[in-house]
């Protein structure tokens, strides 16, 4: 993940230092640095081959990234504006690394953990000046996936979150902010979806190949254009309410039950686009134009997938 993040910032014109925080002798560090440099260069070569980067800029961007050893961290970290921690998902290991990094860096740089599992407040106690600390969860491959989930903690200063959002937006990423809860946003949703897909294979509902086709050409296709909550509003929360009740009864499992917010939205008339209110507010929205814009996005996705067909005259 750290190497992918380095590529992202170098691609956007920033100088990047990758610090190897593991104690190694000189020969072991040289091997690690050579491996990291080769991987970064290979990633940039791929971006060039898939037409996201002119080939003549590969070397220029690669040269913006420097790999340094733990012994060089004291000189490197104070010069940074932002520090991303990417240690393995082991609490004690992260806490120790963050404590040392924050001490060496001084109070200036923002510090963010890229953890996918550990709550921000379980790490913040290791940070000197914790107001400059938050979680920033990147999704692999970091150099392609736009989303980054920011999770500020109890002691995170609001200006820290604002500065991080502005930095990420400035390099073309799409940051979202979520509360300090286990699983962030994407892991919670995808864990449910992946387990259900595996369960359907187990139950003999469909083959693995057909389930994945259904996800790519149906589920994923729609939700690449419409968000999940926007999709509820598009069709109406009442449809989800009744469909959920049917699945609970038909499959005999409460995991399909709708949350209370669906029922309360119905009681309050917040059913979606047809009532002007749902999870989103559609007051003053030209719904015909809005639908056409979304349909145009679906058409673009069809063309990108090579599935758009000419009509039969």
């Amino acid at each position: 993940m750290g190497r992918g993040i380095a590529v992202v910032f170098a691609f956007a014109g920033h100088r990047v230092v990758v610090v190897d925080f593991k104690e190694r002798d000189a020969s072991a560090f040289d091997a690690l640095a050579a491996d990291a440099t080769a991987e970064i260069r290979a990633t940039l070569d791929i971006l060039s081959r898939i037409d996201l980067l002119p080939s003549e800029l590969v070397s220029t961007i690669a040269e913006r990234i420097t790999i340094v050893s733990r012994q060089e961290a004291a000189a490197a970290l104070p010069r940074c504006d932002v520090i991303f921690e990417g240690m393995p998902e082991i609490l004690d290991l992260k806490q120790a690394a963050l404590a040392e990094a924050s001490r060496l860096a001084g109070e200036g740089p923002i510090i963010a953990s890229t953890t996918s599992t550990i709550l921000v407040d379980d790490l913040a106690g290791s940070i000197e000046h914790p107001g400059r600390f938050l979680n920033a969860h990147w999704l692999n491959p970091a150099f392609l996936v736009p989303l980054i989930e920011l999770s500020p903690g109890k002691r995170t200063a609001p200006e820290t979150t604002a500065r991080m959002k502005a930095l990420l937006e400035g390099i073309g990423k799409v940051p979202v902010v979520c509360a300090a809860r286990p699983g962030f946003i994407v892991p919670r949703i995808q864990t449910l979806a992946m387990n259900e897909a595996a369960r359907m294979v187990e139950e003999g509902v469909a083959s693995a190949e057909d389930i994945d086709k259904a996800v790519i050409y149906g589920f994923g296709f729609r939700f690449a254009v419409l968000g999940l909550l926007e999709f509820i509003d598009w069709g109406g929360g009442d449809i989800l309410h009744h469909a959920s009740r049917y699945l609970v009864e038909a499959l005999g499992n409460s995991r399909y039950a709708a949350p209370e917010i669906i029922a309360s939205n119905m009681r309050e008339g917040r059913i979606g686009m047809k009532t002007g209110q749902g999870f989103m507010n559609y007051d003053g929205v030209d719904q015909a134009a809005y639908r056409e814009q979304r349909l145009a996005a679906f058409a673009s996705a069809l063309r990108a997938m090579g599935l758009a067909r000419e009509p039969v005259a």
Side-chain angles (χ1 to χ4, degrees):
M1 179 62 77
R3 298 172 188 184
I5 292 172
V7 167
V8 172
F9 280 97
F11 187 98
H14 293 273
R15 305 294 301 181
V16 182
V17 177
V18 178
V19 181
D20 173 29
F21 236 53
K22 186 174 181 178
E23 290 286 1
R24 307 177 197 268
D25 61 30
S27 62
F29 170 73
D30 288 344
L32 180 281
D35 179 73
T37 300
E39 180 180 332
I40 289 166
R41 179 62 186 246
T43 297
L44 293 169
D45 285 337
I46 290 172
L47 294 179
S48 175
R49 290 195 297 272
I50 61 177
D51 295 327
L52 289 176
L53 172 64
S55 59
E56 62 269 21
L57 291 181
V58 168
S59 294
T60 299
I61 293 171
E63 289 166 5
R64 293 174 183 156
I65 301 171
T66 305
I67 316 294
V68 304
S69 67
R70 185 183 183 118
Q71 290 73 26
E72 299 171 274
L77 293 178
R79 302 198 303 268
C80 297
D81 295 316
V82 178
I83 298 167
F84 291 96
E85 168 271 313
M87 302 292 284
E89 293 293 295
I90 300 170
L91 179 60
D92 292 347
L93 191 61
K94 284 186 177 289
Q95 288 173 329
L98 286 166
E100 184 174 1
S102 68
R103 178 182 62 81
L104 294 175
E107 63 183 88
I110 291 176
I111 300 177
S113 174
T114 63
T115 179
S116 59
T117 57
I118 301 173
L119 294 178
V120 58
D121 292 322
D122 292 337
L123 296 170
S126 303
I127 304 290
E128 295 183 7
H129 310 288
R132 44 82 177 263
F133 178 70
L134 76 170
N135 280 355
H137 177 223
W138 297 63
L139 281 70
N140 265 321
F143 50 86
L144 288 180
V145 179
L147 184 75
I148 299 161
E149 299 176 312
L150 301 181
S151 182
K154 294 175 182 176
R155 289 180 278 183
T156 305
E159 57 267 27
T160 297
T161 306
R163 283 178 59 198
M164 181 64 84
K165 282 187 68 177
L167 171 67
L168 294 171
E169 288 169 347
I171 62 170
K173 293 298 185 180
V174 181
V176 295
V177 178
C178 59
R181 306 283 172 79
F184 299 92
I185 299 170
V186 172
R188 282 183 64 169
I189 294 170
Q190 73 182 14
T191 298
L192 290 172
M194 289 189 296
N195 280 330
E196 193 65 13
R199 190 174 289 115
M200 286 191 287
V201 173
E202 182 178 72
E203 294 175 357
V205 172
S207 68
E209 292 78 10
D210 279 350
I211 289 170
D212 274 0
K213 277 185 182 179
V215 170
I216 292 168
Y217 299 108
F219 187 92
F221 176 80
R222 292 194 301 195
F223 294 123
V225 173
L226 295 170
L228 284 166
L229 299 175
E230 184 183 12
F231 184 73
I232 295 172
D233 286 353
W234 181 283
D238 52 334
I239 294 176
L240 177 61
H241 172 78
H242 295 301
S244 299
R245 292 182 61 185
Y246 171 79
L247 287 174
V248 168
E249 295 174 7
L251 296 174
N253 198 306
S254 62
R255 73 174 180 268
Y256 298 103
E260 172 57 28
I261 193 172
I262 297 297
S264 65
N265 276 357
M266 288 182 63
R267 289 193 297 269
E268 296 166 10
R270 299 172 59 88
I271 296 175
M273 291 180 63
K274 54 192 172 187
T275 61
Q277 295 280 335
F279 283 97
M280 316 297 180
N281 183 353
Y282 301 93
D283 285 344
V285 173
D286 183 336
Q287 292 198 19
Y290 164 78
R291 286 182 181 274
E292 184 170 333
Q293 184 270 333
R294 288 293 188 261
L295 292 173
F298 279 129
S300 294
L302 274 178
R303 286 190 288 270
M305 297 172 77
L307 293 175
R309 298 183 61 184
E310 294 295 327
V312 177

